[in-house]
Each structure stands twice: as C-alpha cells, then as structure tokens.
Amino acid sequence: MKSPFRTKTVEQSIRDTEEPEHALRKSLSAWDLTVFGVGVIIGTGIFVLTGIAARNNAGPATSLAFVAAGIVCALAALCYAEFASTVPVAGSAYTFAYASIGELPAWIIGWDLVLEFALGTAVVAVGWSGYVRHLLHTNLGWDLPTTLAGPDAGGSFDLLAFLLVLVLTVILVVGTKLSARITAVVVAIKVTVVLLVIIAGLFFIKADNYSPFIPPAEPQTSGGGWTAPLVQLMFGYEPTNFGVMGIFTAASLVFFAFIGFDVVATAAEETKNPQRDMPRGILGSLIICTVLYVAVTLVVTGMQKYSEMSATAPLAEAFKSVNQPFFAGAISLGASVGLITVCMILLLGQTRVFFAMSRDGLLPRVFSVTHPKYRTPYRATVLLGGIIAVVAGFTSLEKLAELVNIGTLFAFVVVALGVMVLRKTRPDLHRSFRTPWVPVVPILSIAASLWLMLNLPAETWLRFGIWMLIGFVVYFLYGRRNSRLGKAGADAEY
C-alpha cells in the first residue's frame, strides 16, 4: 500500500460512488451520451481546421486525414468502451488507470486531463466570443468597447468569453440532465448546419478542384516558428506537406476535431445503465461525427480550390466563393451556437476528473462533496468554472498550443495499456462490452497514438514535459501522503 503503483480495485471504486455525500445523480441515457459526444466533437475542428489542413498539408486528401484520425480514435474508443462499462465511475482515463496500472500513473493522467480540458474550455470560449462579436458587427452594427473585446481584438479582457463560462458553470451546478437538454437543442442546430453544408454544397462542386487529389509533396519549411517533428529526428525522413506523408501531418492536426468522445466516459457514474449505454454513446458519437467530417471535407474541397481556402472560416468562405452569402451567414451562426456545447461538455469533463481525484484524496476532499439537492460536484464546478472564466477573459487564441492534442493522445495510450493489464490481472470481472482482438487492438491504438504524438512539434513535447514535471512534484508533496488508498487503515476504510 506504500507503493506509488498501488491499484484501487474496481470494487473499491464502485463502493466510493455509493457514499451519500460523494454520490452523483444517475440521470443520463444512451441518447444523452451520444448527444454529449456529438455536441463536443463537432466544434472548432470542423469549422476551422478543414481549411488549414487542406491549404497547408493535404489538399483534397484532407478527407483521408480525417479518416486516419478517425481510425486512431476508433481504436481508442473500443478500449474506452470496455473500461467505461466495466468501471462506471467518474474520472474517465484517470479512474481506469487507477484500477489497472497504479496510483502514480493515474495521478499523471488526471493531471494531464485537468490541463487538457481547462485549456480546451478557455480557448473554445474565446473562439465563441470572436464569432459572436463578428455576427453582432456584421448584422446589427454593434461593437463591444475595445477594452472588453479581448486580446485578439486589441483589448485587455474578453467579457463575452468570461460570461459564457460563468453561465455554463451555473448550468452544470444545477444538473447534468439540464445540461443534456440544452446540449440536445444546440446539437440539433449544429448538425443541421453541417448537413446544410453537405447538401447545399453538392450543387457547387467542380471536379477540377479535386485535381490533384493528393498534391505533390513539398518540403516543410522552418518559417513561422515551426519546429521539426520528433519523427524526423527518430526516423530520419524529411517531413513534407502534401503527398502521402502530408496526409499524416494533416491527421495530427485535424485530430483536434475529434477530441471529445473521451469526455463521454467522464459521465459514466451519472448514467442510468452504464454497462449498456456507455459503449453506445462513445462509439455512436464517434461514428456519426467521422461520417459527417469526411462528407463535409469532400464537399468543401470540391467547391473551392484547396490553395484558395480560408484558414479561419473555410466553410463560410467556400459558399461566399460561389456567391451564396445566405449559406455563409447560416454557417457562421451555427458555428457560434455550436461552440457553446463544446465549451459546456469540456467543462463537464474537467469537473468530473477533478471530482474523482478529490474523492480519492489526491486533491483536497472538500471538492468531492456533492450538492444536497442537485447531486453535482458543485464546489469543484464553481472553483474550476471561476478559474477558467478568468483565464478565458485574458487568453488570446494565438496562445493555443498542441497541448490539447498531445494530452488526449497520452490518455489514449494509458487507457489502451490499462485494458491489457486489467485483462491479465482481473480476468474474473464481468465485462458487458469487450474490446475485440485484445491485445492487437490496444497495441494498435498505442502505436497509432504515439505516431500522431511524434508528428507534433518538439516544443509541444517540452511544454507537456514541464506540466508533467509539476504534476510529479504535487503528487509527492501532497497526493501520495493524503491518498485514501495509501493511508494507514485504508483496507478497513474500504
């Protein structure tokens, strides 16, 4: 019990969820989980990254990049589905690692997820603010005072981003069922916009825009602060834009568009029938979004030459290029509405990871107390919501690094490893969903995730390493000494 690699059994994890003071309300169905997944996955990625990847990395073959990124996520999703249905406890990859690999790896992945979700929430809130300011200026002629328009607009504080996070914090305190209902409405609007792009865009496709489908390879340059990917250092090949290898470069970029399906796993403890509904929610949302992404990419790159695509609003600009301003406006409105659910669900995921770590004693236990009426982790939600609101108010979009991507891929590696370990150490556990072809699928998931991680800039690895180092310090100064599992008499307590 003194080892930092001590594991918390599945039975112990489930018993923790039955403590009245630390219990969450079970109110979510498979439909709610699928809506959550679609709501967080369809966001900044499809509305922005399509143009960047097509213009700079893969051309029309960006659709193949989405397929490649989707396959990586599908391999990880199969592992998540087994864990989430077997260990239906809040915390996602953190809880899974605790039950299979050990406390220190669990802490590290939890520390990683806290950063990932916090950074993602703040950045999406800032992106939403930019869309709303643009719509207000274009359609109503209204402009916020420059001081309150945020760093991206030359101001000092982003009032809209700050207020959005505060409002979503209140909604999450009131309950996840209310969050699911609001998300369902917004997701319906967002999916309608995506379908509008696909159906309306079909009438404006020009076959010439697909030629060449895979543009000739071009050497990457070091301009603009670019740092050579680690894969170049390890495998000795010159990274390229376009060409076949450009597809994988684009895949490591558009992978951001898929981030979110793993957030579904953080709501396992609040699901009515997690053994049945978690696999449906995780896999269902991923399949729906992958199909929509590929279709949108094929349509948009057929409407406009990839070299002319916008790097900031590719979908709207594609319709402007064919003189369809109505569709362009509808897309901008849908994107601004859709980003609300992305922000909400990322904040939901972060509070659940923080709550699970607090309940285990690795963070102060006071934050794992649930609201007496709403049965939500209101203290953790208020704390994190307030911090992220302030961060969003002072954050510039230019400061977004690939930390979100590398953090998610790292979680994928841990979950896939955990599936193999738990199959070996606890073959007796009832698994309502079993990852097929173990250990082949988990090994492929680890390899694919590591490959995309290696395609990220070396400076991203440096920032990630610094954050992980801080995490080690916090664990050994606080978490290890206050861990419920590690304290004397823990066996009796559990």
Side-chain angles (χ1 to χ4, degrees):
M1 297 303 294
K2 294 182 179 180
S3 169
F5 292 93
R6 56 202 170 206
T7 57
K8 181 180 178 182
T9 67
V10 174
E11 291 79 8
Q12 289 170 340
S13 298
I14 294 176
R15 278 199 295 273
D16 282 349
T17 69
E18 299 169 354
E19 298 175 351
E21 192 179 24
H22 304 282
L24 299 172
R25 175 173 292 165
K26 297 182 181 296
S27 60
L28 302 178
S29 64
W31 170 254
D32 294 327
L33 295 173
T34 303
V35 168
F36 270 146
V38 174
V40 71
I41 296 173
I42 298 180
T44 307
I46 189 61
F47 290 118
V48 176
L49 294 182
T50 304
I52 298 174
R55 182 171 179 171
N56 299 334
N57 303 116
T62 299
S63 57
L64 299 181
F66 275 107
V67 172
I71 291 173
V72 174
C73 290
L75 293 170
L78 291 170
C79 299
Y80 268 91
E82 174 171 326
F83 255 132
S85 59
T86 306
V87 193
V89 179
S92 185
Y94 159 76
T95 300
F96 307 156
Y98 212 160
S100 57
I101 306 174
E103 184 174 275
L104 179 57
W107 163 265
I108 291 300
I109 196 63
W111 185 252
D112 162 53
L113 291 175
V114 165
L115 174 68
E116 173 197 336
F117 291 150
L119 181 61
T121 304
V123 169
V124 172
V126 174
W128 173 86
S129 174
Y131 267 109
V132 172
R133 290 198 310 271
H134 176 73
L135 288 172
L136 291 176
H137 174 78
T138 303
N139 298 299
L140 301 176
W142 294 352
D143 292 298
L144 282 176
T146 302
T147 305
L148 301 177
D152 285 321
S156 56
F157 186 75
D158 195 327
L159 178 64
L160 291 178
F162 175 79
L163 292 177
L164 173 65
V165 177
L166 290 186
V167 170
L168 296 181
T169 299
V170 173
I171 292 173
L172 290 176
V173 167
V174 172
T176 51
K177 192 62 180 178
L178 174 61
S179 306
R181 289 170 180 166
I182 295 174
T183 301
V185 174
V186 177
V187 167
I189 297 172
K190 189 158 49 175
V191 172
T192 299
V193 170
V194 173
L195 293 176
L196 178 67
V197 171
I198 296 170
I199 297 172
L202 287 172
F203 296 95
F204 302 100
I205 290 177
K206 297 179 181 178
D208 290 345
N209 289 332
Y210 289 131
S211 180
F213 190 76
I214 302 179
E218 299 176 359
Q220 290 186 354
T221 63
S222 58
W226 179 85
T227 303
L230 293 183
V231 70
Q232 179 185 8
L233 303 177
M234 296 180 66
F235 298 100
Y237 81 85
E238 183 72 20
T240 66
N241 288 323
F242 308 112
V244 174
M245 297 311 300
I247 296 174
F248 293 103
T249 302
S252 65
L253 172 67
V254 302
F255 176 80
F256 182 86
F258 287 93
I259 288 176
F261 80 86
D262 56 320
V263 179
V264 175
T266 67
E269 192 173 327
E270 296 161 272
T271 303
K272 296 176 183 176
N273 189 345
Q275 289 76 15
R276 180 195 67 189
D277 294 342
M278 288 306 301
R280 293 180 180 181
I282 292 173
L283 296 171
S285 58
L286 181 60
I287 292 171
I288 291 171
C289 293
T290 300
V291 172
L292 291 176
Y293 280 1
V294 173
V296 165
T297 306
L298 287 173
V299 168
V300 172
T301 53
M303 292 176 62
Q304 188 176 26
K305 193 68 176 177
Y306 71 89
S307 58
E308 301 172 359
M309 293 187 70
S310 167
T312 55
L315 275 60
E317 292 298 325
F319 278 96
K320 285 184 180 180
S321 71
V322 293
N323 299 316
Q324 297 295 322
F326 169 78
F327 291 111
I331 290 169
S332 295
L333 178 61
S336 62
V337 173
L339 290 178
I340 295 175
T341 58
V342 180
C343 197
M344 177 191 292
I345 300 168
L346 286 173
L347 182 57
L348 169 72
Q350 190 199 37
T351 58
R352 272 36 178 191
V353 173
F354 196 90
F355 165 80
M357 297 172 73
S358 172
R359 187 165 58 186
D360 290 330
L362 300 182
L363 291 171
R365 288 266 291 170
V366 66
F367 295 113
S368 63
V369 175
T370 54
H371 194 280
K373 178 180 179 181
Y374 303 121
R375 310 312 304 173
T376 56
Y378 69 106
R379 292 177 179 175
T381 303
V382 170
L383 171 69
L384 296 171
I387 292 174
I388 295 173
V390 173
V391 171
F394 291 101
T395 298
S396 169
L397 278 176
E398 294 179 1
K399 297 180 180 179
L400 172 62
E402 293 87 349
L403 276 171
V404 179
N405 277 14
I406 196 170
T408 303
L409 288 165
F410 180 61
F412 287 1
V413 171
V414 172
V415 170
L417 181 61
V419 166
M420 293 188 291
V421 172
L422 204 61
R423 283 283 188 96
K424 185 74 173 177
T425 58
R426 292 296 306 274
D428 58 303
L429 281 177
H430 172 69
R431 294 169 169 83
S432 55
F433 179 89
R434 298 178 67 89
T435 303
W437 305 311
V438 173
V440 175
V441 168
I443 290 174
L444 288 175
S445 177
I446 292 172
S449 298
L450 289 175
W451 173 257
L452 290 187
M453 290 172 74
L454 290 173
N455 276 278
L456 291 170
E459 58 191 9
T460 300
W461 282 81
L462 178 61
R463 296 190 188 104
F464 182 69
I466 292 173
W467 178 254
M468 290 296 102
L469 181 60
I470 296 173
F472 274 102
V473 173
V474 174
Y475 171 75
F476 284 105
L477 290 181
Y478 180 88
R480 188 181 183 189
R481 291 188 297 174
N482 292 276
S483 165
R484 291 181 67 193
L485 191 62
K487 284 182 176 179
D491 288 334
E493 182 180 355
Y494 278 120

